[in-house]
Amino acid sequence: MGVQEPGSSEFYVDRNVLNEISLDEVARKRTFSIKPPLKERVKDSLRCSVPKLKRSVLGFLPVLSWLPRYSLRDNALGDLTSGISVGIMHLPMGLAYSLLAGTPPVYGLYTSFYPVLVYIIFGTSKHISMGTFAVTSLMVGTVTQTLAPNSNYMTLNGTNGTAVLDSTALYNDRVQIASSLTVLCGIFQFAMGLLQVGFIATYLSDPLVRGYTTGAGIQVVLSQLSSTFGISTSLYTGPLSQVYVIGTIISYYANLNGLYKVAVVGQIPRGLLAPRNPDISLWGSVAGSAFALAIVGYAISISLGKTFGLKHGYKVDSNQELIALGACNLVGGFFQCHFVTPALSRSLLQETTGGKTQMVGLVSSVFMLIIILEIGTLFQQLPKAVLACIVYVNLKGIFVQFWDIPALWKSNKVDLMVWLVTLVCTILLNLDMGLAVAVAFSIITVIVRSQLPNYYILGRVPGTEIYLDIDAYEEVKEIPGVIIFRSSTTMYYTNAELYLDALQKKSGIDTGKLITQKKKREAEEKRQAKTEENKAKKEAKKLVNWAFEKSSEAGFPGDDLKTQKSSTNGDGEMGSSHNKHTLILDLSTASFVDTVTLKTLRNIFKDFKEIGIATYLTGCQGEFCVVEQLSIAGFFCESIPKSCLFATVHDAVLHSLRVHGDKDIILYDYVSCHSSMLPFVVLQSTPNQLI
């Protein structure tokens, strides 16, 4: 066994056939784990040292890592320019998105100030801009308007008896609801970050997130129509609420008969507000919305963060980002801010204007502080219709996602279905229910695809040890007497029966039918043998009686007469209706083994053995490989030895042909495979060696 490298353009490999046992010997498989025992790992995690404490502190507070190394010469000018640009953008977005959240516009300015400062301390992304975002603001607004609808704050005017909205009480309650919701979202995110469950966002696929944000963008547009046209509409929530909004506007314009005053932003008080405790009694009624909001916000944040990190060559820590986002919302909620997450438009502006570090957030926060303390009153007469237009313009990046439809139609129609279902559900069923339905549908598509994988019968590419689907390649040929079967995904309890059905269909061997025929044939042969035996006994009895009569007449005993027996063989071999002697199951796509898989594999071994076909497994190696799982589950036994596992499909094929005496089949054609990109391989014709 060896490898020769005679030149840079060719190589030779000469080794023996390797099954699992011989592979363990050659590769010297470890009999112990290189990982320390669980007890030692627990002790190590609890052990405190100065370097470990330093790593923990720097990991939890990234600002202590990058701030001491901050270079004024390299970064200051870019961060200053970018910070002012982002701060200017924070102003209209904060005012506009606060209306989406159902709170007075000034609270959008607070939301663009406090959480941004917190992210500087905890965040690991250098380019995302924390603050208000249309989709999450609308999700907050759905909660505030549901728990505090206008109808609950209408009072009768003592003069003329008309209903008047008590806006002061309304907005006080909505601010309390929004801030309490935000604190709960922050708790969820901070806890998930500490528990290292940042992977949870991976369950929101990219088509789902993009379809959801597009549908939410449409909801944002519909929610701003009343501000755009100066119409007071009744609140509708729940499924089909957007249809009722649209209906109100159509009804209004069908009966337009007067002039209406233009709605403006209103009072923007100077100064900062004192922190305020959240209303914990509300948490029970908003817990579901808070969790959905926490997940959606994190999915948007980590998606943007990793995009910029990959582009600029730095790492964004998923779990630390979850902690940072949770801290932003937790602290912001106490200062009466509503939920924050990065906005794509602001983040792109921060990157393109030269922002290089988190210091951009500090500059934009100082800019927002000046607005809040000094010049915020200048925007009191700003029409709400202008803010609505600002919302529309900032949604441009979201609506560009409609181009996903033709792209997904060409690349993956299942992902297109997820995108469209998410879009429709988000629009018709509202944001929280739409997200739940979309996630459920996405999971169903994964389950269905794993239940309906592709199955292949493999053949050999001439002159190589490569095996491919015989239906997809013309030159690929089956090995005589050998069935090589592969599934495109892991076999487990939902598709195990389909795996077995596909195996029988693709191979053309119905084991159940053949076993039944064998049993019938054996029963028939046994019955015929019994009949012949009874017939022989009757003939023998007649012969004995006749001989006795003759011997009595002649006076001779019948000792010299021998009883004749008819010999039969009831062990007849099964008439073979197939010409196969080996089944090779390629398990290279398997990642785990469950109890149903074990049972299915055992049945395959037993059934095919009963009809004279040997079964081998290949492709089971890995870190915690399928072999280990099979061994732990007690799969291997006297009837299924570990020697039936092979390193590759070709090892199993060579072993099968050697065992069954098919040594005349040439598996190597001594050809050279040339390529401008790859070295060529010289193969030699040696049936008991893998080249």
Side-chain angles (χ1 to χ4, degrees):
M1 182 183 298
V3 178
Q4 300 177 0
E5 297 185 4
S8 61
S9 60
E10 62 182 26
F11 68 89
Y12 302 86
V13 179
D14 181 18
R15 67 171 176 82
N16 296 325
V17 172
L18 296 176
N19 61 21
E20 186 64 25
I21 297 175
S22 57
L23 178 62
D24 289 348
E25 294 175 354
V26 171
R28 297 176 61 189
K29 184 175 181 180
R30 290 188 175 93
T31 57
F32 59 90
S33 175
I34 60 175
K35 294 182 179 180
L38 178 60
K39 183 178 180 180
E40 292 297 325
R41 281 181 283 169
V42 172
K43 284 184 178 179
D44 184 63
S45 64
L46 298 177
R47 189 178 294 117
C48 185
S49 63
V50 174
K52 185 176 180 180
L53 179 62
K54 182 179 178 181
R55 287 195 305 269
S56 300
V57 172
L58 293 179
F60 187 71
L61 300 172
V63 66
L64 299 179
S65 178
W66 63 264
L67 186 58
R69 300 196 302 266
Y70 186 81
S71 173
L72 290 174
R73 176 183 297 179
D74 296 334
N75 302 325
L77 182 59
D79 287 347
L80 178 63
T81 304
S82 180
I84 294 174
S85 302
V86 171
I88 293 173
M89 197 172 187
H90 265 303
L91 173 61
M93 292 180 73
L95 294 172
Y97 293 162
S98 187
L99 294 179
L100 290 177
T103 60
V106 68
Y107 289 90
L109 302 182
Y110 303 147
T111 304
S112 302
F113 173 67
Y114 291 107
V116 178
L117 290 175
V118 176
Y119 187 79
I120 296 172
I121 300 172
F122 293 96
T124 60
S125 175
K126 301 176 183 179
H127 293 91
I128 62 174
S129 175
M130 197 63 63
T132 57
F133 182 56
V135 174
T136 53
S137 296
L138 183 62
M139 294 177 73
V140 173
T142 302
V143 177
T144 57
Q145 294 179 42
T146 300
L147 297 182
N150 290 358
S151 57
N152 290 359
Y153 299 86
M154 303 300 292
T155 59
L156 292 178
N157 189 322
T159 304
N160 53 19
T162 59
V164 178
L165 178 65
D166 186 356
S167 58
T168 302
L170 171 68
Y171 286 123
N172 283 339
D173 287 352
R174 285 187 176 178
V175 168
Q176 179 74 344
I177 294 170
S179 60
S180 300
L181 173 67
T182 301
V183 170
L184 184 57
C185 290
I187 292 174
F188 282 147
Q189 291 174 326
F190 199 85
M192 288 190 292
L194 293 177
L195 295 174
Q196 305 285 295
V197 292
F199 64 87
I200 195 169
T202 59
Y203 290 98
L204 301 181
S205 65
D206 187 60
L208 187 148
V209 172
R210 293 174 71 86
Y212 182 78
T213 53
T214 305
I218 294 175
Q219 287 231 28
V220 170
V221 170
L222 295 176
S223 69
Q224 291 303 290
L225 291 179
S226 59
S227 296
T228 303
F229 298 107
I231 302 169
S232 296
T233 60
S234 300
L235 173 67
Y236 296 99
T237 59
L240 304 179
S241 59
Q242 301 305 317
V243 177
Y244 298 136
V245 170
I246 294 175
T248 302
I249 293 173
I250 294 174
S251 175
Y252 170 81
Y253 273 100
N255 297 281
L256 183 62
N257 59 6
L259 297 175
Y260 293 83
K261 295 181 180 180
V262 176
V264 296
V265 169
Q267 183 181 9
I268 299 180
R270 290 183 177 180
L272 298 172
L273 298 178
R276 181 181 180 184
N277 289 328
D279 187 354
I280 300 178
S281 64
L282 294 171
W283 285 358
S285 56
V286 301
S289 299
F291 185 76
L293 193 55
I295 296 300
V296 171
Y298 172 64
I300 295 170
S301 177
I302 197 61
S303 176
L304 286 175
K306 289 197 171 182
T307 299
F308 288 118
L310 185 64
K311 182 177 180 180
H312 293 278
Y314 62 89
K315 182 181 179 182
V316 175
D317 189 326
S318 301
N319 293 305
Q320 182 60 30
E321 282 298 294
L322 199 49
I323 291 175
L325 196 59
C328 290
N329 287 305
L330 191 58
V331 174
F334 279 97
F335 286 93
Q336 302 177 58
C337 303
H338 57 80
F339 188 84
V340 295
T341 199
L344 175 61
S345 56
R346 280 197 317 270
S347 300
L348 287 174
L349 178 65
Q350 178 170 326
E351 181 205 26
T352 55
T353 53
K356 296 181 179 179
T357 69
Q358 293 93 320
M359 191 63 72
V360 174
L362 179 61
V363 176
S364 67
S365 296
V366 171
F367 183 86
M368 291 304 300
L369 182 62
I370 295 172
I371 293 176
I372 294 171
L373 296 179
E374 297 297 335
I375 63 177
T377 55
L378 299 178
F379 300 95
Q380 292 181 160
Q381 298 304 314
L382 183 67
K384 290 184 178 180
V386 174
L387 296 181
C389 292
I390 293 173
V391 172
Y392 300 151
V393 172
N394 282 288
L395 290 174
K396 179 182 67 174
I398 289 180
F399 290 136
V400 169
Q401 295 176 155
F402 274 108
W403 289 108
D404 290 352
I405 295 177
L408 290 175
W409 174 262
K410 294 179 182 178
S411 61
N412 193 312
K413 292 181 174 59
V414 175
D415 284 346
L416 176 61
M417 288 177 59
V418 172
W419 197 99
L420 292 174
V421 168
T422 303
L423 174 73
V424 173
C425 290
T426 303
I427 295 173
L428 297 182
L429 302 180
N430 226 331
L431 296 175
D432 49 358
M433 190 182 301
L435 178 63
V437 174
V439 171
F441 180 79
S442 180
I443 293 174
I444 289 173
T445 62
V446 174
I447 294 173
V448 170
R449 279 189 281 186
S450 67
Q451 283 186 294
L452 300 174
N454 295 318
Y455 299 100
Y456 314 100
I457 293 294
L458 305 183
R460 188 179 67 91
V461 178
T464 73
E465 76 287 0
I466 299 172
Y467 291 80
L468 300 174
D469 179 17
I470 61 173
D471 294 331
Y473 298 90
E474 294 181 359
E475 294 299 321
V476 171
K477 305 298 180 184
E478 287 190 74
I479 304 298
V482 179
I483 304 166
I484 308 172
F485 184 72
R486 175 190 293 165
S487 170
S488 63
T489 189
T490 298
M491 175 172 56
Y492 66 113
Y493 71 95
T494 65
N495 61 17
E497 186 175 351
L498 296 174
Y499 183 96
L500 186 56
D501 292 342
L503 171 60
Q504 298 191 6
K505 182 179 179 180
K506 287 280 187 178
S507 66
I509 298 177
D510 188 338
T511 54
K513 185 177 181 180
L514 290 177
I515 291 173
T516 301
Q517 291 176 351
K518 177 184 177 183
K519 290 181 178 179
K520 287 183 178 180
R521 185 165 47 252
E522 290 176 347
E524 179 65 21
E525 290 174 352
K526 187 175 181 180
R527 187 186 64 80
Q528 290 179 355
K530 187 68 174 176
T531 302
E532 293 294 331
E533 182 179 356
N534 292 336
K535 184 177 179 181
K537 288 181 179 180
K538 290 181 180 179
E539 292 295 331
K541 187 176 181 179
K542 289 181 180 179
L543 183 61
V544 169
N545 292 337
W546 177 82
F548 180 76
E549 292 176 356
K550 291 297 183 181
S551 62
S552 297
E553 293 176 359
F556 297 104
D559 300 338
D560 55 337
L561 294 179
K562 297 180 180 179
T563 303
Q564 300 178 7
K565 295 184 180 178
S566 144
S567 107
T568 61
N569 182 8
D571 300 328
E573 296 294 329
M574 180 183 75
S576 177
S577 60
H578 60 81
N579 59 350
K580 306 296 183 181
H581 53 68
T582 301
L583 169 65
I584 299 174
L585 301 180
D586 182 1
L587 301 183
S588 57
T589 59
S591 58
F592 65 92
V593 175
D594 62 7
T595 55
V596 177
T597 302
L598 288 171
K599 183 178 179 181
T600 302
L601 289 175
R602 287 193 183 105
N603 289 338
I604 290 174
F605 270 85
K606 178 177 68 68
D607 293 345
F608 277 84
K609 181 178 181 181
E610 195 163 344
I611 60 174
I613 296 179
T615 303
Y616 302 133
L617 304 179
T618 68
C620 303
Q621 289 72 34
E623 182 178 357
F624 184 66
C625 61
V626 173
V627 178
E628 299 288 343
Q629 299 177 50
L630 292 172
S631 300
I632 293 172
F635 176 75
F636 300 109
C637 56
E638 185 177 351
S639 60
I640 308 178
K642 210 170 186 179
S643 59
C644 69
L645 273 69
F646 290 87
T648 68
V649 170
H650 201 59
D651 285 275
V653 170
L654 292 174
H655 175 78
S656 170
L657 297 181
R658 183 172 60 189
V659 167
H660 292 87
D662 295 334
K663 296 184 179 180
D664 295 332
I665 298 176
I666 299 177
L667 289 184
Y668 303 106
D669 303 327
Y670 204 77
V671 296
S672 299
C673 304
H674 300 276
S675 171
S676 60
M677 300 295 293
L678 299 173
F680 65 89
V681 181
V682 179
L683 304 173
Q684 49 183 333
S685 177
T686 309
N688 65 342
Q689 292 181 331
L690 176 61
I691 319 295

